[in-house]
Amino acid sequence: MTEREGKSPGGWQLNCPVSVRDHAECVTLAHGEGGRLSRKLIQERILKILQPVSSQSLDDAARLPHSGQPLAMTTDSFVVTPLFFPGGDIGSLAVYGTVNDLAVSGARPRWLTLSLIIEEGLPLAVLERILESVARAAGETAVQVVAGDTKVVPRGAVDGLFINTAGVGELLEPVPAGPAQLQAGDELIVSGPLGQHGMAVMAVREELGIEPLPQSDSGSLFPAVDQLRLTLGSRIRCLRDATRGGVAAVLHEWAEASGKTLSIEERTLPVTPEVRGISELLGLDPLHIANEGTMLLAVEQGVAAEAVAQLQTIPGMERASRIGVVRERGVAPVTVQRTLGAEQPLADPLGSPLPRIC
């Protein structure tokens, strides 16, 4: 049994669903040196799996069709460990994370690049499982993988696999005005339970032995954003997926951009019993825990009830909730009315309580 198999019986890494036999075929440094093995890896392992969602071009640059609409572009890198976690893996996370950055910016995701930085020794079966996940997520979100790159680095240089993406989307009118346009009286909403992704990764990585395990909320936000755009239009001020730093980090960014105070009520925050239990056990605040399929949005005064009703019709967002309001700037940029206690400033996270979660 290899050292990596020892981390998860029958698997390669913690929570890995792929059974890897001794002497299984693995990625070697030669796969990344541009020769015959590189072409074999790309053509027989990567393009074969991505064929339904890929342009299949091996040119140095992708040629995108003229859309006639303004475009939005984003880039992101994914270094989550372990590679597989309850509710997802690094492959689907890379697609959804990129798609969500475009969606909350007011764009319909269209094209994606995919760069793989692979550690020497990664079993090819594990790589194929992750690529299958990429293909499923890209198909679900209707994005096409139009360019990519593959590098192989020596053992220990990365933790199995890192993925870098770039995403391009078409901006759809009306594009949200952005947090600088927040007004006193605007209402704040979250689209689903807080902290699901961060706690799912933490529970597996730290082997907390908790049942049932929290499930990551990793998924596409575009259907929800598009439905809100069609029904609420310009009454949406701004949206943001609450990833690293959680909802607290987004609230502080918006408070800084607008010069207002953003006030929330703890009793209105949707938190599952699993996340609440782990948070209390470890002394963490769900407001600071990362999400990957939950967003914060601000709408004009009087629109929250309609927005929440729309969100609650979407699978996975049944617990969408109005959590607070925007006020003229007071003594603190962000405040929280605790369920048992007085209103108090909400700390701006200096960093993530759990690194490598996306």
Side-chain angles (χ1 to χ4, degrees):
M1 178 176 287
T2 67
E3 180 183 353
R4 290 194 184 282
E5 285 173 321
K7 293 180 179 178
S8 178
W12 176 76
Q13 195 184 52
L14 283 173
N15 208 49
C16 178
V18 181
S19 179
V20 179
R21 302 186 308 274
D22 286 343
H23 311 298
E25 195 173 0
C26 295
V27 176
T28 68
L29 288 174
H31 281 113
E33 293 176 353
R36 183 160 55 88
L37 275 181
S38 291
R39 293 196 300 276
K40 192 176 176 65
L41 176 67
I42 293 170
Q43 293 172 348
E44 297 181 8
R45 302 282 184 171
I46 298 176
L47 290 182
K48 182 178 178 181
I49 293 173
L50 298 182
Q51 187 273 332
V53 296
S54 168
S55 62
Q56 298 288 297
S57 169
L58 295 179
D59 295 338
D60 282 342
R63 299 180 182 182
L64 305 181
H66 179 66
S67 70
Q69 292 179 258
L71 301 178
M73 183 173 181
T74 186
T75 185
D76 209 340
S77 297
F78 299 86
V79 298
V80 64
T81 183
L83 298 178
F84 300 88
F85 47 83
D89 57 59
I90 191 172
S92 58
L93 183 68
V95 175
Y96 292 138
T98 309
V99 162
N100 289 346
D101 284 347
L102 292 169
V104 297
S105 300
R108 181 194 305 279
R110 290 290 308 276
W111 302 286
L112 192 74
T113 70
L114 187 76
S115 294
L116 307 173
I117 302 172
I118 308 170
E119 182 186 14
E120 174 192 18
L122 180 74
L124 283 166
V126 173
L127 177 63
E128 289 176 333
R129 176 65 71 94
I130 291 169
L131 291 171
E132 289 167 357
S133 184
V134 168
R136 278 194 300 274
E140 175 196 330
T141 54
V143 294
Q144 188 177 32
V145 180
V146 294
D149 185 41
T150 303
K151 295 289 189 300
V152 181
V153 295
R155 292 176 189 273
V158 299
D159 193 5
L161 175 68
F162 291 171
I163 297 178
N164 175 265
T165 62
V168 176
E170 297 168 331
L171 287 168
L172 301 173
E173 294 293 341
V175 176
Q181 304 304 315
L182 285 172
Q183 304 294 320
D186 288 349
E187 299 174 277
L188 303 169
I189 297 166
V190 291
S191 63
L194 307 185
Q196 291 292 127
H197 177 72
M199 286 304 186
V201 174
M202 177 185 287
V204 173
R205 187 192 301 171
E206 304 302 326
E207 300 182 79
L208 296 181
I210 291 173
E211 295 289 343
L213 281 170
Q215 298 291 305
S216 170
D217 60 347
S218 176
S220 173
L221 288 170
F222 180 71
V225 173
D226 199 43
Q227 183 166 322
L228 291 174
R229 179 183 66 83
L230 293 172
T231 55
L232 303 182
S234 60
R235 292 180 290 171
I236 303 172
R237 296 281 194 211
C238 49
L239 312 99
R240 180 77 180 273
D241 49 339
T243 54
R244 288 175 297 173
V247 167
V250 180
L251 289 168
H252 275 277
E253 288 179 17
W254 286 4
E256 183 175 342
S258 64
K260 308 293 185 186
T261 287
L262 278 57
S263 300
I264 62 172
E265 297 180 70
E266 186 176 38
R267 65 176 180 81
T268 64
L269 301 176
V271 181
T272 64
E274 296 84 14
V275 169
R276 187 177 302 283
I278 300 174
S279 298
E280 292 176 355
L281 183 68
L282 301 178
L284 300 173
D285 189 335
L287 284 164
H288 293 110
I289 306 299
N291 314 273
E292 284 294 340
T294 297
M295 61 180 169
L296 179 69
L297 59 149
V299 297
E300 290 182 1
Q301 185 175 11
V303 177
E306 184 180 356
V308 168
Q310 289 287 335
L311 289 170
Q312 289 178 342
T313 65
I314 298 171
M317 296 187 176
E318 296 85 356
R319 298 188 63 182
S321 175
R322 177 190 182 279
I323 64 167
V325 297
V326 179
R327 296 174 177 166
E328 296 296 346
R329 176 56 63 93
V331 295
V334 181
T335 66
V336 54
Q337 176 67 55
R338 295 294 182 185
T339 302
L340 301 174
E343 184 176 12
Q344 57 188 235
L346 178 65
D348 187 4
L350 293 176
S352 171
L354 182 68
R356 305 272 308 271
I357 48 81
C358 64

